[in-house]
Amino acid sequence: MTHTPSNDWGTLPSRGAALRAEAPAETGSALPLTRRRFLAVSAVGLATAFSPFALPGCSTSKNIVVGETADVEVDTRLTFFGFKYESINVMAIEDILRDFMDAHPNVSVSYEGIKSRPYYEALVKRLDSGTGDDVFMIDHDTALSFEKKGYLADLAGLPTISTFSRLAFDQMDAEGTILYVPTSISAFGLYCNTGLLAAHGIDAPRTLAEFERACDAFLAEGVTPLVANNDISLKTLAIARGMAEVYAADNVRERVAALSADPDALAAQLRPGLELVERIVKRGYVDAGMALETEKTSDDLDQFATGSYPFMLTGAWASVRVHDMAPDLAYEVHPYPVLEDRPVLVVNVDTRVSVNANGAHVEEAKEFAAFLTQPSAIERFANSQCSFSPLEGNAAPDDASLQPLAGAFAAGAVVGSDDNILLPVWGALRQSVVSLLEGATAAQAEGQLRSLLAEGADAS
């Protein structure tokens, strides 16, 4: 079945609409919950009420939003499991759940959110054991695995499919069956401490040469230039460098299709990116030992928020946290300066929501997925994450610090975890970059990447 997104779907709500920052009700309260009384409580206390595979000892288990009714009989109770746990994200989800339950009085929805890496461990255990949630978030590599296992319901019939942009639709429809709907488009960038750069007479770098000169200048003063986490930072930098010419080509679809079928070719394509990471590590632009211990959207932000570092590599979604942690820190987020003549923007069609094909409430869960992806909900959610909308027009987030990314988005971007590449590049490349941080050469990292990609191809 072919689904073509339409350009005629109405006007998006204002991206500047304020989120309601409501105080949570009494944490741990045993009082009945109504549609106007929600609890935002620690997952440590309630996770076991929803699944035997919750992680009670994990400090990254942050919030569960629970909705119930005291005056209307509930026929269906849906559970929604995800890796969004920051308070601003949970508040946006809470608003959407509230609106859905107002429109569906006989349905209640609970949301549980924990940090991404423990999240995927728990998600796999739940689905493998037959106790999976009705609705859950996935990523590229998980989608490949879950599709083979038959865990993902076909969402092609959702009424909101036609509202997605071409970029988002090309990812969703990569294999002809729509197994998830995205709720954002994440962008990755170079956070630039503009005050520190200005004090040294340095502009935000646009080319690789400018970036290296800036890093050398700070190194000469004894300052480590770059904050990097142990997950996405250097991985996405390698993707930007290695895949830029593929996505700039006139025959990008054919190029991507060829790489999808050939682990050797994909590893070779990414070799320049691995060489760039090797150079960054060897020159001391990043503290390799520290980066190996630096958690994404946590330790890295702590470091950058001190104002002592000129640069940080991470997702644009972290910007809201940086503003909160360091209100007086002046910074901008720019595309990666990894080529000789221009920067490269890396994006992911992201925060992908799927429905459990083996769940007890498949049709009701699909109805919730449709509600979650209507314009009024999706714009609110994407903006709460400092992300672009996946809907037609790809509205940019409000955050002024991200404006350099908005300009680059219109010029085209590299897709970090492209659904048209049927190899687990997202996870495999992370392992290869960790090896580079541990002292491996680019040649060794390429060999490791080739082996990991081949294993993924064999598993299919």
Side-chain angles (χ1 to χ4, degrees):
M1 181 181 296
T2 301
H3 307 272
T4 304
S6 168
N7 290 326
D8 182 18
W9 52 270
T11 303
L12 289 175
S14 168
R15 299 303 302 268
L19 294 170
R20 294 195 296 275
E22 299 175 355
E26 303 92 337
T27 300
S29 169
L31 295 176
L33 303 178
T34 69
R35 297 192 181 279
R36 295 303 174 190
R37 279 190 88 237
F38 279 69
L39 295 181
V41 297
S42 168
V44 173
L46 286 185
T48 53
F50 295 95
S51 168
F53 294 107
L55 304 175
C58 181
S59 62
T60 56
S61 297
K62 288 287 278 208
N63 294 298
I64 297 177
V65 177
V66 182
E68 271 293 348
T69 179
D71 51 358
V72 178
E73 183 177 352
V74 173
D75 298 322
T76 304
R77 289 179 170 83
L78 300 177
T79 60
F80 179 16
F81 188 36
F83 50 76
K84 294 299 177 181
Y85 68 98
E86 296 287 349
S87 58
I88 190 168
N89 300 149
V90 173
M91 283 191 292
I93 293 171
E94 177 184 340
D95 281 350
I96 295 167
L97 264 60
R98 177 189 294 112
D99 291 346
F100 176 78
M101 289 189 292
D102 281 346
H104 301 80
N106 297 321
V107 180
S108 71
V109 188
S110 64
Y111 174 76
E112 178 187 353
I114 63 177
K115 198 164 185 177
S116 59
R117 287 170 67 188
Y119 165 78
Y120 285 108
E121 296 172 8
L123 178 64
V124 170
K125 288 180 180 179
R126 293 183 186 194
L127 288 165
D128 283 350
S129 69
T131 60
D133 297 89
D134 298 292
V135 183
F136 46 83
M137 296 177 185
I138 61 170
D139 65 1
H140 172 268
D141 293 3
T142 308
L144 292 175
S145 171
F146 284 2
E147 180 181 9
K148 298 182 184 78
K149 294 179 178 180
Y151 290 164
L152 307 179
D154 185 358
L155 304 181
L158 294 190
T160 51
I161 295 300
S162 63
T163 68
F164 286 93
S165 69
R166 173 54 61 186
L167 171 62
F169 184 78
D170 284 349
Q171 295 297 303
M172 298 157 59
D173 193 47
E175 286 297 289
T177 303
I178 295 177
L179 300 177
Y180 71 84
V181 283
T183 57
S184 67
I185 295 180
S186 301
F188 303 88
L190 180 72
Y191 283 65
C192 299
N193 181 333
T194 53
L196 193 57
L197 292 180
H200 288 76
I202 297 172
D203 294 327
R206 290 183 46 82
T207 66
L208 181 57
E210 291 173 358
F211 176 62
E212 291 181 334
R213 283 197 297 271
C215 288
D216 288 337
F218 283 103
L219 273 180
E221 296 188 8
V223 176
T224 299
L226 188 61
V227 173
N229 61 57
N230 59 14
D231 188 353
I232 59 169
S233 293
L234 297 170
K235 173 174 71 177
T236 51
L237 198 74
I239 290 172
R241 174 73 173 180
M243 300 295 287
E245 61 100 8
V246 172
Y247 286 89
D250 292 335
N251 62 337
V252 59
R253 287 177 180 268
E254 291 81 1
R255 294 285 302 274
V256 169
L259 293 173
S260 176
D262 191 340
D264 291 346
L266 182 54
Q269 184 68 48
L270 288 164
R271 174 65 180 266
L274 298 173
E275 291 173 343
L276 175 59
V277 174
E278 179 187 27
R279 188 156 74 247
I280 285 171
V281 172
K282 285 189 173 180
R283 292 185 177 182
Y285 293 168
V286 63
D287 183 326
M290 180 179 291
L292 286 167
E293 301 298 324
T294 296
E295 291 294 323
K296 176 182 69 177
T297 324
S298 177
D299 304 330
D300 50 357
L301 307 192
D302 289 337
Q303 295 167 35
F304 188 69
T306 65
S308 302
Y309 294 87
F311 303 116
M312 175 175 67
L313 296 167
T314 196
W317 64 80
S319 184
V320 65
R321 283 278 309 276
V322 177
H323 286 307
D324 288 343
M325 296 169 68
D328 297 327
L329 179 64
Y331 69 91
E332 294 176 345
V333 187
H334 287 257
Y336 288 152
V338 293
L339 299 181
E340 286 69 25
D341 59 343
R342 62 184 174 87
V344 176
L345 178 64
V346 177
V347 301
N348 274 346
V349 175
D350 214 354
T351 324
R352 307 168 181 201
V353 175
S354 292
V355 168
N356 185 352
N358 304 312
H361 310 292
V362 176
E363 293 308 312
E364 293 87 348
K366 287 183 177 181
E367 193 168 5
F368 172 69
F371 188 91
L372 183 65
T373 52
Q374 65 182 358
S376 61
I378 212 166
E379 292 297 315
R380 185 190 323 171
F381 185 62
N383 197 38
S384 79
Q385 300 179 80
C386 291
S387 297
F388 292 85
S389 166
L391 301 182
E392 188 67 40
N394 298 124
D398 292 335
D399 190 338
S401 300
L402 306 179
Q403 287 309 300
L405 298 183
F409 193 100
V414 168
V415 180
S417 56
D418 195 327
D419 279 295
N420 295 283
I421 295 179
L422 303 180
L423 296 170
V425 63
W426 194 244
L429 191 55
R430 178 185 181 274
Q431 294 185 54
S432 297
V433 167
V434 165
S435 295
L436 289 168
L437 288 169
E438 292 174 338
T441 66
Q444 292 170 329
E446 181 189 357
Q448 179 187 25
L449 178 61
R450 182 180 296 108
S451 297
L452 292 169
L453 293 174
E455 289 174 12
D458 292 341
S460 65

